[in-house]
């Protein structure tokens, strides 16, 4: 396993200042994450109760699989009232889009459900005419709506996460909402097993949507399942060995990982992806693509 040295000068994350060229970007998106969490805390209780089915979970079905978009409408509309004006302030170029979406949602009660159905189906063919009807670029509609959905799913995860059994779920997608992970974190393990490596710690994956963290085999690629160590590498910076880029040459993707084993550091896992954006630049320069494309890690195009 290769571990070449790369030169960075910052002290350890998550609390250190960033270089000036990306400090503004990091500050803006860190504030957005805080906004998402605050909005989730203010939403009404999750409106449905689930019949927990451990067999379905073991078979790979997330708790919110096949979610009816109508269930999200109330929360999305509630979140839009606080999040859209705040996002307009955080990202001034998006202010007109925030205003148009807010007006559209207030005037057309069915608009939210139509947008959510298209978003959950990942259907640009359905989203594009909805964006055009609001006078929005497609990318702006997707970004803004996804943030509203993420707040609602985060509120749901606070209720549903206790139902998840890590022993039954060993997959790279979130067991709560099915979202993809945007980072990993290594922490001390609690027990000996072939599933975990004692000194290396246990890997937790963080959901890019609802914020749930779940356990995943450390030596498996979370994209393609590759286990050959000759095809999986770990890159880290000289003097910053806790900040890591886990890459896979089979699928060409990477995952950012923060090693917290025996560190004693407090860590806000929601902020790890944006605080490690300097590693996104390194990974993409090496020809790897992010596991999840976000608004802040689209650095190569």
């Amino acid at each position: 396993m290769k571990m070449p040295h790369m030169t960075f000068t910052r002290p350890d994350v998550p609390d250190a200042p960033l270089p000036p060229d990306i400090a503004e970007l990091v500050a803006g998106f860190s504030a957005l994450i805080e906004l998402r969490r605050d909005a989730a805390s203010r939403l009404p209780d999750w409106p449905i109760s689930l019949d927990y089915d451990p067999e379905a979970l073991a078979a790979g079905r997330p708790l919110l699989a096949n979610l009816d978009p109508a269930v999200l409408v109330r929360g999305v509309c509630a979140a839009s009232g606080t999040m859209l004006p705040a996002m307009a302030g955080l990202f001034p170029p998006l202010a007109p889009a925030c205003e148009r979406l807010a007006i559209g949602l207030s005037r057309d009660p069915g608009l939210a459900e139509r947008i959510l159905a298209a978003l959950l189906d990942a259907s640009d063919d359905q989203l594009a005419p909805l964006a055009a009807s609001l006078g929005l670029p497609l990318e702006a509609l997707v970004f803004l709506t996804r943030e509203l959905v993420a707040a609602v799913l985060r509120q749901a995860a606070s209720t549903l996460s206790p139902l998840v059994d890590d022993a039954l779920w060993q997959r790279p997608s979130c067991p709560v909402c099915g979202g993809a992970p945007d980072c990993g974190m290594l922490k001390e393990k609690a027990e000996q097993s072939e599933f975990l490596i004692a000194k290396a710690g246990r890997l937790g994956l963080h959901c890019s949507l609802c914020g749930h963290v779940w356990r995943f085999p450390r030596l498996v690629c979370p994209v393609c399942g590759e286990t050959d160590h000759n095809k999986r590498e770990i890159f880290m910076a000289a003097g910053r060995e806790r900040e890591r880029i886990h890459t896979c040459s089979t699928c060409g993707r990477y995952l950012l990982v923060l090693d917290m084993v025996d560190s004693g550091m407090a860590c806000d896992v929601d902020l790890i992806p944006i605080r490690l954006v300097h590693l996104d630049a390194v990974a993409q320069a090496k020809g790897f693509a992010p596991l999840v494309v976000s608004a802040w890690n689209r650095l190569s195009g």
Side-chain angles (χ1 to χ4, degrees), residues 187-193 196-198 201-203 215:
K187 296 195 74 173
E188 290 85 352
K189 60 181 290 299
E191 74 282 339
Q192 297 289 338
S193 76
L196 302 171
I197 307 299
R202 137 177 126 174
L203 176 64
R215 188 173 68 181

Side-chain angles (χ1 to χ4, degrees), residues 52-55 57-60 163 165-171 215:
Y52 174 61
D53 185 349
E55 292 184 1
L57 189 70
L163 297 177
D165 184 346
D166 278 342
L168 297 178
W169 188 268
Q170 299 179 12
R171 289 169 171 78
R215 188 173 68 181

Side-chain angles (χ1 to χ4, degrees), residues 5-273:
H5 281 178
M6 302 173 289
T7 301
F8 292 104
T9 57
R10 294 198 304 112
D12 276 358
V13 292
D15 298 321
L18 288 150
D21 57 339
I22 59 174
E24 184 176 355
L25 176 146
V26 171
F29 282 103
S30 295
L32 177 60
I33 292 169
E34 295 286 1
L35 173 64
R36 184 195 300 174
R37 296 196 291 205
D38 181 66
S41 71
R42 298 172 185 270
L43 289 175
D45 291 339
W46 182 244
I48 60 173
S49 59
L50 296 178
D51 293 327
Y52 174 61
D53 185 349
E55 292 184 1
L57 189 70
R61 182 179 178 181
L63 296 178
L64 295 178
N66 303 318
L67 181 67
D68 183 349
V71 175
L72 298 174
V73 168
R74 180 186 176 198
V76 163
C77 290
S80 68
T82 56
M83 290 190 69
L84 290 177
M87 282 191 280
L90 287 174
F91 308 106
L94 279 176
C98 292
E99 182 178 3
R100 289 171 189 163
L101 180 57
I103 292 173
L105 292 174
S106 66
R107 289 179 176 175
D108 182 356
L111 178 61
E113 186 170 350
R114 295 195 298 274
I115 293 175
L116 291 172
L119 186 71
L120 294 177
D121 287 341
S123 174
D124 285 354
D125 290 340
Q126 297 178 50
L127 281 168
L130 291 170
S133 71
L134 293 166
L136 303 181
L138 175 60
E139 294 80 4
L141 179 62
V142 171
F143 171 68
L144 295 175
T145 309
R146 187 181 185 278
E147 285 301 316
L148 299 177
V149 169
V152 178
L153 292 178
R154 184 176 188 89
Q155 196 278 339
S158 67
T159 300
L160 301 177
S161 291
L163 297 177
V164 176
D165 184 346
D166 278 342
L168 297 178
W169 188 268
Q170 299 179 12
R171 289 169 171 78
S173 57
C174 175
V176 174
C177 72
D182 56 10
C183 72
M185 180 171 59
L186 288 168
K187 296 195 74 173
E188 290 85 352
K189 60 181 290 299
E191 74 282 339
Q192 297 289 338
S193 76
E194 62 181 2
F195 182 77
L196 302 171
I197 307 299
K199 293 183 179 179
R202 137 177 126 174
L203 176 64
L205 297 180
H206 174 262
C207 180
S208 58
L209 277 175
C210 73
H212 177 71
V213 178
W214 71 100
R215 188 173 68 181
F216 189 73
R218 188 178 60 85
L219 301 180
V220 177
C221 173
V223 177
C224 67
E226 182 63 76
T227 58
D228 186 346
H229 70 276
N230 291 314
K231 297 180 180 179
R232 305 197 66 240
E233 297 178 314
I234 298 176
F235 297 93
M236 60 185 68
R240 303 181 59 78
E241 288 79 9
R242 292 191 181 277
E243 301 177 2
R244 303 182 175 189
I245 307 168
H246 289 208
T247 68
C248 176
S249 61
T250 298
C251 63
R253 308 291 279 278
Y254 71 87
L255 176 73
L256 302 184
V257 176
L258 185 63
D259 182 2
M260 301 296 296
V261 176
D262 296 327
S263 71
M265 272 198 308
C267 178
D268 187 334
V269 66
D270 289 330
L271 295 177
I272 289 175

